[in-house]
Amino acid sequence: MTTSAPSLVDHLDILEAHAIFIIREVVAECERPVLLFSGGKDSAVLLHLAVKAFAPQKLPFPVMHVDTGHNFPEVIAYRDERVATLGLRLEVASVQEAIDKGRVPDPGPLGMRNRLQTVALLDGIARHKFDAAFGGARRDEDKARAKERVLSFRDKFGQWDPKAQRPELWQLYQGRVNAGENLRAFPLSDWTELDIWNYIKRENVPLPTIYFAHERPVIKRDGMWLAVGEFVHPEPGEVVERHLVRFRTVGDATCTGAVRSAAENIDAIINEISVTNVSERGATRADDRFSETAMEDRKREGYF
Amino acid sequence: MSESTTDLLRFATIGSVDDGKSTLIGRLLVDTRQLFDDQLEAVAHASAKRGVGDLDLSFVTDGLRAEREQGITIDVAYRYAATPTRKFVIADCPGHVQYTRNMATGASTADVALVVLDATTGLKEQTRRHLCIAALLGVRYVIVAANKMDLAQWSQSTYNAVVSQMNDVGTRLGFSDTVVIPVSALRGDNVVERGFEASWYSGPTVLQALEEAPAGLWANSEAGARLPIQWVLRQHGGGRTYAGMVTGSHFSVGDAVTLLPSGVTATITGINGPRGSMTSAVPGLSVDLDIDQDTDAGRGDLLATAPLPTVTDEFEATLCWFSDRPLTPNSRLRLKHTTRSTPVRVNTISGTLDVETLTVTPTDQLVTNDIGLVSLLTADPIVVDDYRANRVTGSFILIDEVTNATVAAGMIGHASFI
């Protein structure tokens, strides 16, 4: 057979290949990896890549949902559908359980729980003796994430030390840890929000319906549109309005804002974020607004 | 076949502390409108809070608390930018000698180095160190931002002095081409927008130079195609395929390949890529290969086309030593090379490289941030190319067996300037 000219590849192919390479390296080097699956678009892409990395074999590790208890029902339905379709093993690290056991203070049924995720995550990692946890974090999301290695070493307390990161040269990802320590692995480090959407479009990656424009009751709180539902009730003075909205990220329902949008399909979403003036987290995440270094502080405590 | 990455350029900023690397990247991102309104507001807010003016551009990439408190870059920040012609992955590296390991991290994957130096002071030792490390890591193309030209009253003789210094260093380190651009990162002249002060300068702006720089320089190699095996995939029906990332050159169905270190020869009968079967795979793609021989190949083995790499357990290498503890002969460590990990012992340390004079001084130990020439002995054989021929099969790291810290970066063989 003669050698045919290699086909052209674009930058999405390069990002995809790199992510698959990272996933295989971590699974080969670590004893008990797990993939953190929130049901958000980044973890949806990550799961899609992980399945590709080991096809036609089944995914050789479980997925874990860090469940704040304040979920969008559409996201839980999506999570369970993915788990059933792909034949995955699902573990749930529950914030509610951590509250019930007195591991963390109870912020009240409607209080914000994103910070409490750290304790549930670390408990889940310890309970299953996971030594590596894949996350869908991207470096374009936040200035602290922009500093983090692809393989982020965490000590016995799950802490990130940004001043003492392991050198990470070339594509020599080094996953050795001692007992009790763990790694966070971020195969999507070099992807941008736009890359994620273009890849979802190319690969037909299924997503929860709340990413697409739909009408729902919302209230304006701290400059964000919050969906009125089981965990968000209007306070005195807050007016419930009905708007066409979609979500740009998926997190705890009490602190994840919607954006006003008529984008009903992926092409419309790509057009919309190509011209937006507001970052993904700036538009939708109350949990990053506490301080200048909110993300860095949470990562130091063990957050993903 | 470097078309595989031509629309994506990876570059790293290098140079001494306080010469303006982070400010230049901040300026580049702001002036090409890569920042969202809320991110700009956050930078303005942080600047006001720390009393450093309306908009401290270095805060765009210096995102850690300690970095903002101390006004320095501690670790690499990765940022992403896109212009109509190209996508950029930017590694903004720290300048302090203490954080050389982080600079090496950022530069190890770069196609191009963007050197930022203070034109009023010229090339400092730390700039020369970074240039030397970048050259060792295989960077062949550098763009030089002669910064703070506003402080030099846009003096052409100041600029010419930098050009002369850079030509001298560039020739010795073997850079293929060096463009020197007079800029003020603070004011924005010649970064994205052309400045009017340097009427004598007609070359490109920093952005133009980045858009014109050659990308994907690492995609191809004179040596053949290599696939370090990461994982063996069991196919339906009982067959096995070998998964990994292609490097060096492309593999095609029908190619004769050799499995190393065993030496078994075979023919490629199928290639599976992320989007299904394909007839050939270019460097940088993650694929799995099917071959016509039943072998016991596994992780750490390598499939190659001719010219074949070398199987060895004893070799010469250039080391960047990162640890606070010195490296001495007979030290025992763990070596990670491609997908193989093996115990390694230091046979000899023959010398350290002086980054200013590029001469080698005999020594019997390496201390933090030394660049050393060593001979290593591995417990298991590894399959290598010279680093100049292949960045993947020519590189390795050394790991402390107790702490698991990465203590050194190594390159098989020596650069021609040593």
Side-chain angles (χ1 to χ4, degrees):
Chain A
M1 185 180 288
T2 54
T3 300
S4 55
S7 53
L8 277 167
V9 293
D10 64 14
H11 86 279
L12 280 183
D13 295 320
I14 298 292
L15 291 173
E16 176 187 58
H18 193 184
I20 288 173
F21 177 84
I22 294 162
I23 293 167
R24 286 176 177 157
E25 276 306 279
V26 171
V27 173
E29 294 231 326
C30 296
E31 295 286 326
R32 296 173 72 88
V34 66
L35 185 147
L36 301 175
F37 186 64
S38 68
K41 66 183 187 318
D42 301 311
S43 64
V45 167
L46 185 60
L47 179 60
H48 183 82
L49 289 162
V51 168
K52 275 194 180 201
F54 298 100
Q57 295 172 218
K58 270 178 66 173
L59 200 65
F61 50 86
V63 300
M64 184 161 76
H65 180 214
V66 181
D67 180 1
T68 68
H70 292 160
N71 299 299
F72 293 95
E74 297 92 331
V75 176
I76 294 299
Y78 167 81
R79 178 195 77 182
D80 294 341
E81 179 278 318
R82 290 277 79 197
V83 166
T85 303
L86 298 171
L88 308 174
R89 199 176 101 217
L90 172 71
E91 305 289 353
V92 177
S94 164
V95 171
Q96 188 60 52
E97 198 180 303
I99 292 170
D100 294 344
K101 285 182 176 168
R103 301 271 294 137
V104 293
D106 188 350
L110 306 182
M112 198 188 285
R113 293 180 167 187
N114 254 27
R115 282 197 83 125
L116 307 184
Q117 286 184 90
T118 301
V119 175
L121 169 67
L122 295 176
D123 283 354
I125 286 173
R127 186 181 333 130
H128 299 286
K129 296 191 168 60
F130 292 132
D131 56 357
F134 289 108
R138 311 186 320 267
R139 285 171 173 157
D140 77 329
E141 281 179 82
D142 175 88
K143 57 193 180 301
R145 286 196 163 153
K147 292 273 169 180
E148 195 169 10
R149 299 278 189 259
V150 171
L151 259 59
S152 183
F153 174 78
R154 303 302 176 93
D155 67 12
K156 287 189 166 62
F157 297 90
Q159 299 181 107
W160 180 51
D161 183 354
K163 288 188 79 169
Q165 299 196 82
R166 285 181 179 172
E168 187 171 79
L169 287 93
W170 303 292
Q171 289 187 26
L172 286 168
Y173 297 107
Q174 208 261 90
R176 300 177 77 86
V177 294
N178 287 320
E181 300 167 344
N182 68 83
L183 289 174
R184 307 296 164 81
F186 302 116
L188 305 180
S189 287
D190 284 342
W191 297 51
T192 64
E193 185 187 16
L194 205 51
D195 293 329
I196 292 286
W197 280 108
N198 280 316
Y199 188 75
I200 287 168
K201 178 184 172 185
R202 183 179 105 175
E203 301 281 317
N204 288 316
V205 180
L207 286 184
T209 53
I210 63 169
Y211 276 108
F212 303 96
H214 57 285
E215 198 182 291
R216 69 159 70 211
V218 289
I219 52 167
K220 190 120 195 176
R221 184 178 293 169
D222 300 332
M224 287 194 318
W225 292 108
L226 293 184
V228 176
E230 192 182 348
F231 310 106
V232 177
H233 306 163
E235 286 174 6
E238 290 178 334
V239 183
V240 179
E241 302 172 44
R242 288 191 75 83
H243 287 301
L244 203 52
V245 297
R246 65 178 184 86
F247 289 84
R248 239 173 118 180
T249 66
V250 165
D252 186 291
T254 63
C255 63
T256 302
V259 292
R260 297 274 294 270
S261 168
E264 291 178 324
N265 57 51
I266 291 175
D267 284 322
I269 290 172
I270 289 172
N271 283 336
E272 200 172 275
I273 58 175
S274 298
V275 297
T276 182
N277 293 321
V278 184
S279 77
E280 181 179 296
R281 297 193 83 86
T284 63
R285 287 298 180 92
D287 46 337
D288 288 336
R289 296 182 172 185
F290 293 126
S291 79
E292 184 185 339
T293 52
M295 177 67 83
E296 178 183 344
D297 296 342
R298 276 181 291 152
K299 277 185 171 292
R300 282 171 176 274
E301 292 164 7
Y303 190 73
F304 17 94
Chain B
M1 277 139 284
S2 57
E3 69 263 30
S4 58
T5 51
T6 40
D7 71 331
L8 180 75
L9 182 82
R10 302 185 71 105
F11 72 92
T13 61
I14 63 172
S16 188
V17 62
D18 283 340
D19 283 2
K21 290 183 295 302
S22 297
T23 302
L24 180 69
I25 294 306
R27 170 61 68 191
L28 193 67
L29 293 170
V30 168
D31 286 5
T32 51
R33 297 180 183 81
Q34 307 291 332
L35 290 192
F36 293 113
D37 290 350
D38 55 305
Q39 293 171 327
L40 260 181
E41 275 168 34
V43 170
H45 181 75
S47 306
K49 189 171 118 188
R50 296 185 196 279
V52 289
D54 294 338
L55 196 66
D56 186 330
L57 291 167
S58 70
F59 284 6
V60 173
T61 56
D62 287 344
L64 298 175
R65 181 192 299 276
E67 292 180 322
R68 292 180 170 194
E69 282 168 2
Q70 296 166 37
I72 60 164
T73 305
I74 291 171
D75 213 326
V76 189
Y78 293 91
R79 300 295 306 224
Y80 308 87
T83 67
T85 56
R86 189 166 253 185
K87 288 186 75 88
F88 298 98
V89 176
I90 306 167
D92 184 30
C93 297
H96 268 94
V97 65
Q98 183 188 348
Y99 302 121
T100 302
R101 61 182 187 275
N102 297 336
M103 172 270 170
T105 292
S108 69
T109 51
D111 295 308
V112 167
L114 175 58
V115 184
V116 184
L117 56 85
D118 181 343
T120 65
T121 56
L123 261 73
K124 296 169 184 155
E125 182 190 346
Q126 184 62 359
T127 311
R128 292 178 191 273
R129 175 185 302 275
H130 277 189
L131 282 165
C132 180
I133 293 170
L136 287 171
L137 289 169
V139 171
R140 286 286 161 271
Y141 191 93
V142 296
I143 297 166
V144 183
N147 192 24
K148 309 194 185 182
M149 282 296 290
D150 49 323
L151 299 180
Q153 281 76 49
W154 297 94
S155 150
Q156 191 173 3
S157 63
T158 301
Y159 168 79
N160 286 340
V162 173
V163 171
S164 155
Q165 279 187 313
M166 272 310 304
N167 282 345
D168 175 46
V169 174
T171 305
R172 289 197 291 159
L173 291 174
F175 294 130
S176 65
D177 202 357
T178 304
V179 51
V180 183
I181 306 162
V183 309
S184 167
L186 202 60
R187 300 165 27 135
D189 304 72
N190 292 337
V191 178
V192 174
E193 308 295 335
R194 185 159 290 281
F196 298 105
E197 308 276 4
S199 54
W200 41 266
Y201 176 77
S202 58
T205 62
V206 172
L207 181 64
Q208 283 169 338
L210 288 167
E211 287 185 319
E212 289 159 11
L217 294 177
W218 284 95
N220 279 280
S221 159
E222 297 288 311
R226 279 90 176 92
L227 186 105
I229 297 172
Q230 284 189 286
W231 190 267
V232 179
L233 290 170
R234 299 212 170 88
Q235 300 294 327
H236 296 310
R240 292 156 194 272
T241 58
Y242 304 103
M245 185 180 274
V246 180
T247 171
S249 181
H250 65 277
F251 283 103
S252 297
V253 172
D255 279 356
V257 289
T258 304
L259 176 70
L260 295 166
S262 74
V264 172
T265 55
T267 302
I268 296 178
T269 53
I271 302 175
N272 301 308
R275 303 166 86 174
S277 77
M278 49 211 298
T279 54
S280 80
V282 294
L285 282 190
S286 285
V287 299
D288 55 280
L289 301 182
D290 198 358
I291 58 175
D292 66 351
Q293 298 288 322
D294 226 3
T295 73
D296 63 349
R299 180 173 168 81
D301 295 336
L302 182 141
L303 287 162
T305 64
L308 295 179
T310 308
V311 178
T312 182
D313 62 0
E314 194 170 4
F315 54 91
E316 304 277 314
T318 308
L319 273 194
C320 298
W321 184 249
F322 300 136
S323 174
D324 294 333
R325 289 173 46 196
L327 179 75
T328 52
N330 291 318
S331 296
R332 198 192 128 106
L333 296 149
R334 180 160 282 274
L335 174 141
K336 184 175 182 189
H337 168 262
T338 63
T339 55
R340 179 173 291 238
S341 163
T342 171
V344 63
R345 206 181 69 212
V346 179
N347 258 351
T348 56
I349 300 175
S350 55
T352 55
L353 181 68
D354 183 311
V355 296
E356 290 237 33
T357 62
L358 302 182
T359 54
V360 176
T361 313
T363 183
D364 57 1
Q365 66 167 21
L366 300 183
V367 299
T368 319
N369 296 323
D370 269 356
I371 295 163
L373 309 185
V374 299
S375 164
L376 301 177
L377 180 70
T378 53
D380 303 321
I382 59 173
V383 187
V384 303
D385 286 296
D386 186 275
Y387 184 77
R388 267 51 57 182
N390 189 311
R391 209 173 191 169
V392 175
T393 47
S395 60
F396 61 89
I397 54 174
L398 298 181
I399 301 161
D400 183 300
E401 290 198 298
V402 177
T403 64
N404 292 321
T406 302
V407 290
M411 289 151 280
I412 310 284
H414 304 312
S416 56
F417 58 82
I418 294 179

